[in-house]
Amino acid sequence: GVDLFDDGYFWLSYEDPTTGSFCSYDLMPAEQYDDVYEYDGAGYVTAYSDIDAAANIFVAEYSSILSDVAFYMPSANMSNASYDIRVYKLHENTDDPTDGKLAATASGTIVNGGYYTVPLDDTVQLEKGGQFSVVLRIKTAYGQNGYIPLEEEMSIAAGFDLSYHAN
């Protein structure tokens, strides 16, 4: 805020050794969305490139409309990585994220790593209690499988375990 430093500004030398990398944030109001479905208890933990796709299955808590999907694009994918998102309305009691009707898609190219929210080509009408899935594929500019971020159980070198599970 304006009460900090010099009316909200501070000066940093280009030669300051503490600046390793830079980032910027383009934020949107939380009120823009009525519902957010996520399994993101630990945030970005690791990423794999030896998988073709990653998916999450959700149960709609309310009858509502799904219009956008958010995901993290690891900077390890370099520039011009492409994403392909598919949303399925699933059959009852399935654990296969593609066992249902393809309801919407989104695809594009991203220049920089970071969190992105992208609009779906069509909105999806969700029915309370109905299962739906979001399937994400990432490809490098060379057409190879890109790094897809995942959460997983891990051990910290300091000798303790950090556990979290998405249900």
Side-chain angles (χ1 to χ4, degrees), residues 49-105:
S49 64
D50 58 351
I51 58 176
D52 183 52
N56 277 320
I57 294 176
F58 303 97
V59 176
E61 294 179 19
Y62 310 98
S63 293
S64 59
I65 294 175
L66 179 67
S67 59
D68 300 313
V69 170
F71 63 96
Y72 184 75
M73 176 68 77
S75 58
N77 287 321
M78 311 277 275
S79 63
N80 298 317
S82 64
Y83 64 89
D84 178 67
I85 296 169
R86 297 178 184 270
V87 176
Y88 292 86
K89 292 179 81 171
L90 300 176
H91 295 120
E92 283 188 48
N93 302 318
T94 186
D95 59 0
D96 177 350
T98 61
D99 182 20
K101 178 185 176 198
L102 180 62
T105 62

Side-chain angles (χ1 to χ4, degrees), residues 20-161:
S21 61
F22 297 93
C23 64
S24 67
Y25 297 94
D26 184 12
L27 305 175
M28 62 185 68
E31 298 82 28
Q32 181 170 339
Y33 300 102
D34 293 328
D35 300 310
V36 175
Y37 292 93
E38 64 181 0
Y39 297 127
D40 196 17
Y44 174 50
V45 174
T46 191
Y48 293 101
S49 64
D50 58 351
I51 58 176
D52 183 52
N56 277 320
I57 294 176
F58 303 97
V59 176
E61 294 179 19
Y62 310 98
S63 293
S64 59
I65 294 175
L66 179 67
S67 59
D68 300 313
V69 170
F71 63 96
Y72 184 75
M73 176 68 77
S75 58
N77 287 321
M78 311 277 275
S79 63
N80 298 317
S82 64
Y83 64 89
D84 178 67
I85 296 169
R86 297 178 184 270
V87 176
Y88 292 86
K89 292 179 81 171
L90 300 176
H91 295 120
E92 283 188 48
N93 302 318
T94 186
D95 59 0
D96 177 350
T98 61
D99 182 20
K101 178 185 176 198
L102 180 62
T105 62
S107 60
T109 303
I110 292 179
V111 176
N112 298 308
Y115 283 95
Y116 289 88
T117 301
V118 297
L120 296 170
D121 294 336
D122 295 304
T123 59
V124 179
Q125 179 64 49
L126 301 176
E127 302 303 326
K128 181 179 180 179
Q131 285 187 297
F132 67 99
S133 67
V134 176
V135 180
L136 171 66
R137 286 184 170 78
I138 296 177
K139 298 286 184 185
T140 68
Y142 305 105
Q144 301 165 322
N145 285 346
Y147 286 94
I148 297 179
L150 301 171
E151 292 181 1
E152 66 179 11
E153 188 171 324
M154 62 185 283
S155 294
I156 305 296
F160 60 90
D161 288 338

